[in-house]
Amino acid sequence: MAATLASLSIWLMMAINMSGGVLNIFREPSIWVESLIVAQAVFVYAVIVGLLLSPVSGTAIRLLARP
């Protein structure tokens, strides 16, 4: 869920940044495709890092939370 939210928000912000403003997004549809490449990279990175670090962070939380 976090990877999806991160990639969608980065996709939107990248499209706005590349177009130069919110109103210019709808004038150039190629910007959506270009920013989609960045969003896909963020999604893959977030999923891979989340899967690799979840055992480490789970263990750390368990150690910190025990009485």
Side-chain angles (χ1 to χ4, degrees):
M1 180 69 181
T4 305
L5 184 61
S7 63
L8 288 176
S9 63
I10 296 235
W11 185 16
L12 180 63
M13 292 302 122
M14 192 69 179
I16 291 171
N17 189 25
M18 290 170 64
S19 69
V22 176
L23 297 178
N24 294 334
I25 291 176
F26 303 108
R27 294 183 192 157
E28 300 178 42
S30 64
I31 289 176
W32 289 105
V33 175
E34 294 170 4
S35 61
L36 178 63
I37 295 169
V38 176
Q40 288 174 341
V42 168
F43 180 77
V44 169
Y45 176 78
V47 166
I48 290 173
V49 169
L51 289 174
L52 290 177
L53 292 181
S54 62
V56 174
S57 61
T59 304
I61 291 170
R62 191 177 306 123
L63 289 174
L64 291 172
R66 74 180 159 169

